[in-house]
Amino acid sequence: MQRVGTTVRFHGKRLVNMDPFVLVLYAFAVGLTACGLAGSAMELLSGRRLAFAEPYVSPVHILRSLAATACAGPFMLTNEALAARREGRIGTMALLSCGCTAIAWALALGVVLIAIASWATANLGSFQFAG
């Protein structure tokens, strides 16, 4: 029993509306993809592991550091947490906390990127091009 033209699915005894879940999952995927692409590009360009340290984060270049941290922050946090766990500096609960923070950060990054893309595409028609 599935309704045509809706995202309501029949699962056992219940009908489940999947719209909110799909939107959250999409925003998370966008954020995770952007974070991974930015982090991998930064690692390839610098030749060093991504971390909250030089050359990625510097008190001399604050705007560059903010941009790098905003885009690749979840990747940086995950790398730092896994390195700290391997060295025994943090426990399992701290590692889980860092993982949850990275997930929330990737979701927030995805929401911001979708909002920017939506704003940019809405304003495309307002530009006047001389022909």
Side-chain angles (χ1 to χ4, degrees):
M1 174 179 170
Q2 187 174 7
R3 296 180 191 172
V4 178
T6 66
T7 58
V8 176
R9 305 279 189 242
F10 181 70
H11 295 284
K13 296 179 182 178
R14 294 185 171 81
L15 288 175
V16 179
N17 186 356
M18 296 295 286
D19 281 340
F21 178 72
V22 171
L23 292 175
V24 170
L25 190 62
Y26 180 71
F28 176 69
V30 167
L32 196 62
T33 302
C35 168
L37 287 173
S40 295
M42 290 166 55
E43 280 186 342
L44 285 172
L45 291 174
S46 71
R48 297 182 58 196
R49 185 180 65 86
L50 195 61
F52 290 114
E54 289 285 346
Y56 308 112
V57 178
S58 167
V60 177
H61 304 284
I62 292 178
L63 289 178
R64 183 187 74 186
S65 299
L66 286 173
T69 303
C71 293
F75 195 7
M76 290 178 174
L77 180 60
T78 303
N79 276 348
E80 291 284 344
L82 290 173
R85 178 68 179 148
R86 271 185 243 115
E87 296 170 5
R89 291 184 286 139
I90 63 172
T92 304
M93 290 307 292
L95 181 64
L96 289 174
S97 175
C98 289
C100 290
T101 303
I103 288 170
W105 194 339
L107 177 62
L109 179 62
V111 169
V112 168
L113 290 175
I114 291 170
I116 290 171
S118 175
W119 173 80
T121 56
N123 288 331
L124 281 178
S126 65
F127 296 117
Q128 300 295 325
F129 296 106

